[in-house]
Amino acid sequence: MVTLREVSVDELRHLVSERALTGETMLLNMGPQHPSTHGVLRLLLELDGEIVVNCIPDVGFLHTGVEKNMEAKTYQKAEVMTDRLDYLNPIGNNLVYCLAVEKLVGLDVPPRAQAIRVILAELTRIASHLLWLGTSSLDLAAMSTFLYTMREREMILDIFEMCSGQRMMTTYVRPGGLWRDVPVEFEAAVRRVLEVMPRRIDEYERLLTTNELFLDRTRGIGVITAEECVQWGISGPVARAAGLKYDLRKVRPYSGYEQYEFDVPTQSDGDVYSRYRVRVEEMRQSLRIIRQALDKLPYGPVRSNNRKFVPPPRSELGVSMEAVIHHFKLWTEGFMAPKESVYAAIESPRGELGVFLEGDGGPKPYRVHYVTPSFANLQIMPLLTRNHFIADVVGIIGSIDIVLGDCDR
Amino acid sequence: MAKANTEILEEAVRVIKERFGASEHRFRDEVTLIIPPENILEAAQTLKETFGFNVLIDETAVDYWPQQTPRFHVVYHLYSMPHNLILRLRVPLNGNAPHLETMEKVFPNANWKEREIWDMFGIVFDGHSDLRRILMPADWQGHPLRKDYPLGYEEVQFSFNAEEIDRRKPYAKS
């Protein structure tokens, strides 16, 4: 007989106010099946009438033990699990893992692969922001935006499918480069996105930016200051909306971001509306980066020539014994990494996404830890929601753009 | 003229080594300081106030089982926003049920990260305000990311043993 134990209010005594124990305020459970919690987030709200006194996030419903599983796989095979973490940013998850592996074993990446990585990472950012824009405005009852943003997101997913054969779980970025070169149709498809998107972004802005109903629901809601962002380790659009000009692509460039010209949009109010403005502007900046990267996309190989870490191309297997040996060794045993640890980080659509990777001299990672922005962002929910109406909680969850797969891992 | 960022890092490393008995390890331009557990709080405080390491990027742990001394390392990544530097701190902990002082007083966002470490590794943080499990269910037994915790698997059922396996499967029975 299995007994399931539920957390009692007694255990949460230190998190709620005195009045909750006497029954003066009400404890309300929101989620994990609530449609506007963007996944399986559960919030325990302490309410005084309609005002939120305390908010206790309960995460872990989507915990899949990815970090534990990765320890049992070789470096190449473990990468497949990284797509499943932040399912709106699969390329970014691959990229940061590959950057960590490359740093650990000291692997070079050819310039063409780096440029394609940047293009795809920025396309992912746009796709993620589009989904965010659609769903979070849907939470605030702006129905039509969702339909438009999903239409544009489809164009970007088609490009991923064209490159990798998958719309979402791409595993396209590999240690030492890419899985394969992009197809010939790639450039035209990306140019089409570049051509269409600026107009469409203006369209979304016409729907929302000066919309009286949208402004009422977003201005002055869920305010966080720049100092609090530093204190709580918040990065990404949430921090930039509070006036913190902090973007990893600028301060610690990776994959050649230092070659591209772009601005880091910031706002000063730190409320839901500022976060909306920052993300919309970020999409425009991403388009700028993609245009530059595509214009000077270098020719050449997309994989490192270091055969100890990167499998040889298919064409060599028939003619070179050495290639066969390398192929066999890499796909059965894997490559060895030193007994050291590294940290690599990228700017994901939600903030700083880092990987702490430790090797033990063997072919499997000894410890992989994903430092995820959603985890950090959810931690400040009590701060953001205090003294707001319960209806605004929905808007605030939307504005910090959480992905529960990213948070729970 | 202001000091270059690398000079500040070198100075921070020197001060922490002298004052807190830390040892240094470098790999691919990343600096790791190994600090004895009793000094970690003060070392972090010093780094935050004197050298501008004002962001706790991450706090996690590594299990070196079956080795017992140390069995665990708690790993901190500190970031200095004014100087754009990253420093890694490692705290070795001995034994199967180690204790460490909480970092919450210095960096409030250590709260959830330490809950996760408690949940996954069973390291107790003394003085923590809310040490509950965070990712695993509240009634979970064991700490999954420990190396002596097996990677779970589904037993394959054949017609000859289906009922036997069914009896010990952990789901609700009628």
Side-chain angles (χ1 to χ4, degrees):
Chain A
M1 176 64 189
V2 182
T3 50
L4 290 173
R5 198 177 64 90
E6 186 51 54
V7 181
S8 70
V9 182
D10 243 19
E11 280 170 68
L12 304 172
R13 194 181 274 267
H14 56 290
L15 295 173
V16 295
S17 74
E18 286 291 310
R19 292 190 296 161
L21 304 172
T22 57
E24 212 178 312
T25 54
M26 185 172 79
L27 282 177
L28 183 75
N29 190 41
M30 180 171 172
Q33 302 95 343
H34 195 286
S36 67
T37 54
H38 291 244
V40 280
L41 169 67
R42 177 180 172 221
L43 297 171
L44 212 64
L45 300 169
E46 187 190 344
L47 300 174
D48 182 4
E50 267 197 271
I51 307 285
V52 178
V53 182
N54 266 311
C55 164
I56 307 167
D58 181 8
V59 299
F61 290 94
L62 215 57
H63 177 63
T64 42
V66 164
E67 288 175 6
K68 179 86 176 169
N69 270 313
M70 282 167 87
E71 287 173 7
K73 293 179 167 42
T74 61
Y75 285 99
Q76 301 106 311
K77 289 174 187 168
E79 197 199 332
V80 180
M81 313 209 72
T82 63
D83 295 287
R84 275 86 183 156
L85 293 167
D86 182 349
Y87 40 80
L88 297 184
N89 180 28
I91 300 266
N93 281 320
N94 291 164
L95 179 58
V96 66
Y97 175 76
C98 291
L99 288 175
V101 174
E102 283 152 10
K103 200 170 181 184
L104 187 65
V105 300
L107 195 56
D108 62 302
V109 182
R112 182 175 172 85
Q114 296 216 0
I116 295 172
R117 281 177 177 194
V118 167
I119 294 173
L120 291 174
E122 293 306 317
L123 283 173
T124 321
R125 188 183 316 278
I126 295 172
S128 172
H129 280 355
L130 282 175
L131 191 89
W132 165 81
L133 183 62
T135 52
S136 69
S137 56
L138 190 63
D139 289 341
L140 300 175
M143 177 81 197
S144 46
T145 331
F146 180 74
L147 303 173
Y148 296 128
T149 58
M150 289 307 270
R151 178 186 65 188
E152 268 75 77
R153 181 169 173 264
E154 207 58 25
M155 287 168 55
I156 296 174
L157 293 185
D158 283 347
I159 295 177
F160 292 157
E161 188 177 8
M162 182 193 291
C163 295
S164 70
Q166 291 282 330
R167 282 155 50 86
M168 287 175 79
M169 306 304 161
T170 51
T171 326
Y172 187 60
V173 181
R174 300 282 170 95
L178 302 168
W179 171 48
R180 62 174 189 191
D181 205 347
V182 290
V184 281
E185 306 88 13
F186 177 75
E187 187 174 341
V190 178
R191 293 240 183 255
R192 173 103 186 102
V193 171
L194 289 176
E195 187 193 325
V196 169
M197 276 307 290
R199 271 204 321 271
R200 298 282 162 84
I201 295 173
D202 292 343
E203 241 169 65
Y204 313 142
E205 284 226 80
R206 271 206 294 282
L207 283 170
L208 295 172
T209 307
T210 51
N211 184 329
E212 205 53 49
L213 292 170
F214 186 71
L215 288 174
D216 277 351
R217 293 291 306 272
T218 54
R219 274 231 201 115
I221 304 291
V223 178
I224 187 166
T225 63
E227 290 79 48
E228 282 171 326
C229 284
V230 172
Q231 211 178 4
W232 289 90
I234 306 295
S235 52
V238 179
R240 289 196 282 274
L244 203 65
K245 200 165 180 156
Y246 176 64
D247 189 321
L248 284 178
R249 293 172 293 174
K250 284 280 189 203
V251 298
R252 276 182 274 149
Y254 51 91
S255 293
Y257 267 107
E258 64 275 7
Q259 308 162 29
Y260 308 114
E261 252 179 62
F262 63 100
D263 301 324
V264 179
T266 51
Q267 294 278 325
S268 53
D269 294 343
D271 56 4
V272 176
Y273 186 65
S274 302
R275 284 168 221 146
Y276 156 77
R277 292 295 295 271
V278 164
R279 290 207 178 89
V280 169
E281 193 50 40
E282 257 179 35
M283 286 200 269
R284 295 208 175 93
Q285 296 301 329
S286 290
L287 290 173
R288 245 176 102 185
I289 298 173
I290 296 169
R291 182 167 292 122
Q292 291 170 47
L294 200 61
D295 282 344
K296 51 182 182 188
L297 185 65
Y299 287 98
V302 293
R303 272 201 243 178
S304 164
N305 218 12
N306 191 340
R307 293 292 153 77
K308 297 298 169 202
F309 299 107
V310 181
R314 192 85 213 160
S315 56
E316 275 182 30
L317 290 182
V319 289
S320 160
M321 190 62 212
E322 202 136 285
V324 176
I325 295 169
H326 278 138
H327 180 89
F328 180 74
K329 284 288 271 185
L330 279 172
W331 290 115
T332 52
E333 191 184 21
F335 54 77
M336 309 297 165
K339 195 177 161 123
E340 294 284 356
S341 52
V342 291
Y343 176 78
I346 64 160
E347 182 74 28
S348 93
R350 276 157 279 285
E352 175 167 354
L353 176 70
V355 164
F356 169 67
L357 182 67
E358 180 158 334
D360 65 345
K364 291 173 184 172
Y366 191 73
R367 172 92 174 97
V368 192
H369 180 63
Y370 261 80
V371 183
T372 52
S374 301
F375 195 70
N377 288 347
L378 263 177
Q379 198 176 358
I380 55 165
M381 271 305 281
L383 230 73
L384 294 175
T385 51
R386 195 155 294 154
N387 298 330
H388 281 300
F389 283 116
I390 185 167
D392 292 331
V393 172
V394 171
I396 294 169
I397 298 172
S399 77
I400 58 173
D401 192 15
I402 45 159
V403 169
L404 267 303
D406 192 34
C407 174
D408 297 347
R409 296 169 307 240
Chain B
M1 205 186 107
K3 283 184 208 167
N5 289 342
T6 47
E7 281 174 38
I8 290 168
L9 184 67
E10 294 308 324
E11 200 183 326
V13 168
R14 191 177 51 78
V15 168
I16 299 296
K17 270 163 77 177
E18 272 172 20
R19 229 186 275 172
F20 302 105
S23 59
E24 182 190 344
H25 178 76
R26 281 169 200 254
F27 179 69
R28 302 207 198 285
D29 299 334
E30 293 189 353
V31 186
T32 307
L33 289 173
I34 299 158
I35 299 180
E38 58 274 13
N39 293 343
I40 178 64
L41 216 61
E42 279 179 67
Q45 191 84 44
T46 310
L47 283 169
K48 186 181 179 184
E49 280 161 14
T50 319
F51 300 102
F53 284 88
N54 52 357
V55 184
L56 176 72
I57 297 180
D58 184 35
E59 179 176 351
T60 185
V62 187
D63 182 7
Y64 293 105
W65 182 83
Q67 180 185 311
Q68 285 287 323
T69 48
R71 172 163 179 180
F72 295 102
H73 269 184
V74 174
V75 185
Y76 302 84
H77 286 90
L78 300 186
Y79 177 64
S80 162
M81 207 168 264
H83 308 305
N84 191 23
L85 295 168
I86 291 187
L87 187 60
R88 182 182 303 131
L89 309 178
R90 276 173 177 267
V91 178
L93 293 172
N94 300 336
N96 289 331
H99 285 248
L100 185 67
E101 221 175 322
T102 176
M103 191 54 90
E104 239 188 316
K105 290 153 208 151
V106 189
F107 298 106
N109 63 330
N111 186 327
W112 275 29
K113 296 185 194 291
E114 285 175 356
R115 277 178 70 186
E116 191 189 330
I117 298 175
W118 151 247
D119 193 357
M120 292 295 159
F121 290 92
I123 297 170
V124 177
F125 288 91
D126 298 320
H128 192 281
S129 65
D130 182 26
L131 202 62
R132 292 179 293 132
R133 282 187 185 273
I134 184 165
L135 295 181
M136 304 304 285
D139 56 352
W140 193 261
Q141 304 283 319
H143 301 284
L145 275 176
R146 287 190 170 200
K147 289 282 175 181
D148 52 357
Y149 189 99
L151 194 62
Y153 59 92
E154 182 82 358
E155 284 179 281
V156 184
Q157 284 172 300
F158 296 100
S159 52
F160 73 91
N161 63 3
E163 279 178 17
E164 188 201 328
I165 289 174
D166 211 44
R167 268 199 294 281
R168 55 172 182 266
K169 268 194 169 180
Y171 51 64
K173 314 255 168 15
S174 54

